[in-house]
Amino acid sequence: MDMITRYFTITGGYELTVMEKFDTLIVGGGPAGLMAAIRASSLGQKTAILEKNPSLGEKLLLSGHGRCNFTNALDDTDAFIKKYGDNGKFLYSAFSRFGPRDTLVFFANTGLDFVEERGKRVFPKEGGSQKVLDRLLLECKKGGVKILRSSPVKAVKFKNHRVDCVITDSDEFTADKYIIATGGKSYPRTGSTGDGYTFARQAGHTITELYPALVPIRTRETWPKLASGCNLRNVRLHVLLDGKEVAERFGEMEFTNFGVSGPIVMDLSSHVPDWSNKGGELVFSLDLKPSLTHEILTARVKREIEKFTGRRRFTGLVRLLVPAEMVRLILELSDIPHDKPIEYISDEEIADFVSLLKDIRMTVNGLWGFNNAVVTRGGVSLKEIDPATMRSKLCDNLYFAGEILDLNGPSGGFNLQICWTTGYIAGSVNE
Ligand SMILES: Cc1cc2nc3c(=O)[nH]c(=O)nc-3n(C[C@H](O)[C@H](O)[C@H](O)COP(=O)(O)OP(=O)(O)OC[C@H]3O[C@@H](n4cnc5c(N)ncnc54)[C@H](O)[C@@H]3O)c2cc1C
C-alpha cells in the first residue's frame, strides 16, 4: 500500500500523535531488521525501521571483536544446519532461498570484499563491522527505507489475531506487515533487552526457556584465577557428567578470575543447561598435552629431568612444560614441593605430575549471565512460525527474524547467518 495515512489525535489534552502507515514495519535495527528492510524495500515495499537506540547495529559493531565474522564458508548445507542442533531443521526451507552462499553474493554485490579464515570464518577484507554496517545502511538508503532512530517500541496492539499498530513514546504506526527483529537478551547494553519476547507473548506465542549462550563458565574451584588471562592453544577439554564423558572439544581456551572462557568453552556453554538439567555433577577435564600419550609425556618429563639434573627445581621443570602464565596454577595443584630438586622427584610423583598435565579437573558451577553472553539460547517457539515465510502461525501479519527466534549456533559466523537468512525471508513478499 502506497498511500500514507496521516491523522492527528489529541491525547492527554494537547499532545499530538501522528500515525503513518507503511507496507512493512520492522521493530529493531540490528542485522536481522536491516536485512529484512533491504529485502522488503527492494521489492517496492514502503518500509520503516523503528530502532530504540540513537544508532543502528550496535551489537553488529561488536561482532568478531569489531572484525565481524559475518558468515561461514562451510559449503555443505546439511553440515551447516547441523551446527544449530535439532532446531536447525527449521532453516532448510529458508536456506534454500537465502543461504550462506547467497549471503556472500549479497555482500559482494554491495561492494564488500571478504576473506575466509581459520574454520571457514568469513570476515570483511578491511573495515570490519563498521564496513558491514555501512553497506547495510547504504542498501536501506537505496531502497528508501525510513529509519526512525531513538524510537523504542513500547507496545504492540493486537486485534482479531492481527497486529493493529505499534506504539512508541510519541507515535503510533500502522502497517500491512510487522516484523519483530528486536534480538535476544544478550549484551543488553546494545539495546537487546528482550522487549520482543513480551510482544511475542502478547500475540500468544510460546517463548522457550531462555539461557545465555556462548558465554564464559564459572567453576566451583577458585584457583583458575591464578592463571587468569592465560590463553591455551591446542588443548582438549573433556566434559564429564557424573563421571561419564558427554562431550569433548579441541582448540583454544583461557582461564578467568571466575572459571574458564575462550572458544571451546563458549561453544560448550550452549549445552551446559541440558547437562545441568539432567542433574549430577558436571566436570571439565583439561588435557594440556592432548597430542602426547601418558607414556610419551612421562618419557619427555624424564628426559627433561635427566637433562637438567642438579640444575633445576620442580618450578623450573614446570616452566619447561607449560606456558609461563600457567606455572603458578600447576604448582598450586601439584603435591610436589616447588623447590624440590628435580633429581629427587620420584617415579610416583612423575606419574602424578603427568596425570595432572593431562587431567586438570574443574567443576562447572553455572554460566555467566546475559551481560556477557554472545547470544541467547531459546526464544520464540519455532513450532509457531512458518519456516517458509517467518510468519507467525498465530497472528496473520506478524513476522519474526534474527536472534529472537529459538535458534542459535556456535561461534564461527553461524549466528549472523541466522539473521541474514531469516531477515531476508521475513522481508520477502509472499504470494
Ligand atoms: C560481543 C559479540 C560478538 C559477536 N560476534 C559475532 C560474530 O563474529 N559472528 C556472528 O555470527 N555472531 C556474532 N555475535 C552474535 C550476533 O551479533 C547476533 O546474533 C546478532 O546481532 C543478532 O541480530 P538481531 O538483529 O537478531 O538482534 P540485535 O543485533 O540484538 O538487534 C536488535 C535491535 O533491536 C533493537 N530493539 C530492541 N528492542 C527494541 C524496541 N522495543 N524498540 C525498538 N528497537 C528495539 C535493539 O536496540 C537492537 O538494535 C556476536 C555477539 C556479541 C554480543
Side-chain angles (χ1 to χ4, degrees):
M1 238 221 253
D2 225 19
M3 192 183 70
I4 300 173
T5 312
R6 275 180 181 276
Y7 65 89
F8 304 94
T9 55
I10 297 176
T11 57
Y14 302 100
E15 200 181 327
L16 281 181
T17 299
V18 181
M19 280 182 77
E20 180 165 359
K21 179 149 191 194
F22 295 93
D23 296 328
T24 300
L25 185 65
I26 298 157
V27 184
L34 284 161
M35 181 55 95
I38 292 165
R39 173 65 174 157
S41 63
S42 76
L43 297 171
Q45 296 278 291
K46 179 178 157 54
T47 305
I49 297 177
L50 295 174
E51 166 55 51
K52 73 151 68 146
N53 288 332
S55 56
L56 281 75
E58 286 286 315
K59 192 178 282 180
L60 182 67
L61 288 177
L62 297 180
S63 68
H65 300 285
R67 291 192 58 223
C68 193
N69 171 202
F70 67 92
T71 187
N72 193 285
L74 180 60
D75 200 19
D76 170 343
T77 304
D78 289 334
F80 207 112
I81 277 178
K82 257 197 184 146
K83 296 279 181 185
Y84 302 111
D86 284 350
N87 283 4
K89 285 179 223 133
F90 174 84
L91 287 170
Y92 268 110
S93 144
F95 264 34
S96 69
R97 282 178 66 197
F98 194 82
R101 241 177 289 171
D102 305 296
T103 303
L104 292 176
V105 172
F106 167 84
F107 279 107
N109 287 339
T110 69
L112 187 84
D113 290 332
F114 42 80
V115 286
E116 190 185 316
E117 297 188 6
R118 191 173 43 87
K120 297 188 180 284
R121 292 166 157 83
V122 183
F123 295 87
K125 200 168 184 179
E126 54 191 27
S129 310
Q130 186 64 58
K131 192 138 188 181
V132 174
L133 180 59
D134 289 347
R135 299 292 156 158
L136 294 168
L137 290 173
L138 194 64
E139 292 304 307
C140 283
K141 197 170 174 189
K142 280 189 202 161
V145 175
K146 183 162 182 175
I147 296 180
L148 293 120
R149 298 173 167 84
S150 303
S151 302
V153 168
K154 293 290 161 104
V156 177
K157 275 195 187 165
F158 299 92
K159 207 181 201 175
N160 302 328
H161 302 288
R162 291 179 68 80
V163 177
D164 191 36
C165 67
V166 300
I167 300 168
T168 63
D169 275 336
S170 52
D171 302 301
E172 278 187 16
F173 297 86
T174 58
D176 289 337
K177 166 176 177 176
Y178 299 83
I179 303 175
I180 307 280
T182 46
K185 281 181 72 169
S186 58
Y187 266 66
R189 57 187 175 275
T190 61
S192 333
T193 47
D195 302 1
Y197 302 129
T198 308
F199 307 145
R201 272 195 199 98
Q202 286 164 352
H205 280 281
T206 311
I207 307 300
T208 63
E209 196 153 358
L210 304 172
Y211 299 100
L214 297 185
V215 68
I217 288 176
R218 292 180 193 278
T219 57
R220 190 184 298 158
E221 297 76 11
T222 54
W223 46 252
K225 67 170 178 280
L226 295 176
S228 179
C230 173
N231 257 303
L232 297 169
R233 284 165 180 259
N234 302 325
V235 294
R236 195 178 296 282
L237 207 51
H238 300 270
V239 184
L240 310 171
L241 181 60
D242 278 340
K244 198 169 154 240
E245 180 160 316
V246 287
E248 54 114 8
R249 293 285 188 282
F250 176 81
E252 284 175 48
M253 64 159 273
E254 70 183 78
F255 285 101
T256 70
N257 276 328
F258 305 99
V260 282
S261 184
I264 56 175
V265 170
M266 304 275 269
D267 276 351
L268 286 168
S269 70
S270 309
H271 307 283
V272 163
D274 296 327
W275 296 319
S276 299
N277 287 342
K278 287 185 181 156
E281 194 169 63
L282 195 59
V283 169
F284 281 177
S285 156
L286 169 63
D287 184 350
L288 289 171
K289 304 282 177 193
S291 60
L292 306 180
T293 60
H294 269 78
E295 293 69 30
I296 292 173
L297 185 55
T298 305
R300 158 101 200 269
V301 171
K302 287 186 172 171
R303 258 199 328 273
E304 299 292 0
I305 290 178
E306 231 170 77
K307 202 159 132 198
F308 293 103
T309 281
R311 288 185 287 145
R312 294 223 174 184
R313 293 174 187 270
F314 180 54
T315 310
L317 178 67
V318 175
R319 279 206 190 100
L320 293 170
L321 292 159
V322 302
E325 305 93 321
M326 277 289 286
V327 172
R328 248 179 96 201
L329 174 56
I330 296 295
L331 291 173
E332 168 77 16
L333 298 180
S334 169
D335 290 331
I336 306 174
H338 307 180
D339 55 354
K340 187 164 189 171
I342 50 175
E343 55 276 24
Y344 296 122
I345 297 176
S346 68
D347 280 354
E348 203 183 359
E349 284 174 321
I350 292 174
D352 286 350
F353 178 47
V354 166
S355 294
L356 176 64
L357 295 179
K358 289 196 68 68
D359 185 10
I360 298 177
R361 296 210 170 193
M362 295 158 272
T363 318
V364 174
N365 197 24
L367 302 171
W368 282 35
F370 284 105
N371 283 347
N372 297 287
V374 169
V375 287
T376 310
R377 180 184 151 173
V380 178
S381 170
L382 302 178
K383 290 185 193 135
E384 297 159 0
I385 307 288
D386 172 13
T389 58
M390 300 300 140
R391 182 158 70 177
S392 159
K393 289 180 182 171
L394 311 177
C395 186
D396 283 347
N397 56 351
L398 179 63
Y399 294 69
F400 294 94
E403 195 177 320
I404 189 170
L405 292 163
D406 182 12
L407 280 168
N408 65 286
S411 57
F414 297 99
N415 287 296
L416 280 171
Q417 186 58 54
I418 294 172
C419 300
W420 311 133
T421 295
T422 58
Y424 180 94
I425 301 295
S428 298
V429 177
N430 304 291
E431 292 77 36

